[in-house]
Amino acid sequence: ICGPVGIDENLLEQRIHVFPNPASESVTIQSEEHIISVELHDISGRQLMCANVNANATQLKVATLPAGCYLVRIHFENHIESQQLIIE
């Protein structure tokens, strides 16, 4: 079972939307801020995907990944935020 990642979920819901969560085929990442890039990490911290975005939204295809808990790291111009993602 996935646990908290030390992030204020209410704050993230206002600025970052990662959906659907849980996901099975693809996941959409949207933000009010301009996203520079997005990374997907497994629970051991290994980077599995990295995408340059340069927009306010992107989509990651996750159908080939095994079910489990992952961490999405969203890079903005002046900061990085993370959100938990469950893949079924």
Side-chain angles (χ1 to χ4, degrees):
I1 296 177
C2 296
V5 291
I7 300 168
D8 184 345
E9 297 293 331
N10 293 328
L11 181 60
L12 283 176
E13 288 177 13
Q14 296 170 6
R15 298 184 307 172
I16 301 169
H17 302 281
V18 177
F19 61 93
N21 192 1
S24 58
E25 296 294 320
S26 64
V27 62
T28 300
I29 301 159
Q30 291 182 334
S31 174
E32 295 174 6
E33 294 181 64
H34 188 82
I35 300 169
I36 303 298
S37 64
V38 173
E39 299 172 359
L40 184 68
H41 296 262
D42 64 15
I43 57 172
S44 69
R46 185 173 48 128
Q47 181 177 307
L48 303 174
M49 292 182 187
C50 183
N52 292 323
V53 177
N54 202 26
N56 287 54
T58 192
Q59 192 172 61
L60 298 177
K61 296 188 185 309
V62 297
T64 60
L65 296 174
C69 298
Y70 294 84
L71 189 65
V72 179
R73 290 178 51 102
I74 302 124
H75 295 252
F76 299 97
E77 187 173 327
N78 296 317
H79 64 286
I80 299 170
E81 296 196 29
S82 300
Q83 190 164 353
Q84 182 176 287
L85 172 66
I86 298 171
I87 297 178
E88 297 181 320

